[in-house]
Amino acid sequence: MTEQEKKDMTMEEALTRINALAAKKKSGQSLTEEELAEKKDLYEVYLGFIRAQVVQHLESIEFVDAEPDADTVEVDVDLDTKYLRKSH
């Protein structure tokens, strides 16, 4: 699988192909070397989608006070997502 194919693939396409390979393996057929390599690439693509969703979710979180008049300390949090983002 080329890098361009990985970038162009949707999450649904990756999951469909992962499930097809899993069904083949579960049925007792062995996967070819090409299919094993493809499965590895598909998992990488899928995990990339999951990482992106987690990062997006974490970046969208906004902390608010339950009681606006209460004494609170303002904290500036810088979300370091470098460990969640995997470079290809």
Side-chain angles (χ1 to χ4, degrees), residues 48-61:
F49 282 114
I50 298 300
R51 285 185 188 100
Q53 288 176 347
V54 169
V55 168
Q56 181 182 15
H57 182 72
L58 290 174
E59 289 178 342
S60 70
I61 293 174

Side-chain angles (χ1 to χ4, degrees), residues 17-84:
R17 185 63 183 145
I18 288 169
N19 288 335
L21 292 172
K24 180 179 179 180
K25 184 177 178 183
K26 188 176 181 179
S27 73
Q29 299 177 19
S30 57
L31 299 178
T32 65
E33 291 298 319
E34 293 83 20
E35 289 171 326
L36 290 171
E38 180 185 12
K39 183 175 106 170
K40 181 182 175 194
D41 288 342
L42 289 167
Y43 279 119
E44 184 179 306
V45 169
Y46 178 71
L47 290 175
F49 282 114
I50 298 300
R51 285 185 188 100
Q53 288 176 347
V54 169
V55 168
Q56 181 182 15
H57 182 72
L58 290 174
E59 289 178 342
S60 70
I61 293 174
E62 181 180 334
F63 294 95
V64 295
D65 288 332
E67 300 175 26
D69 296 332
D71 290 333
T72 59
V73 177
E74 194 166 316
V75 178
D76 184 19
V77 177
D78 184 24
L79 179 62
D80 185 6
T81 58
K82 69 182 175 185
Y83 297 107
L84 292 174

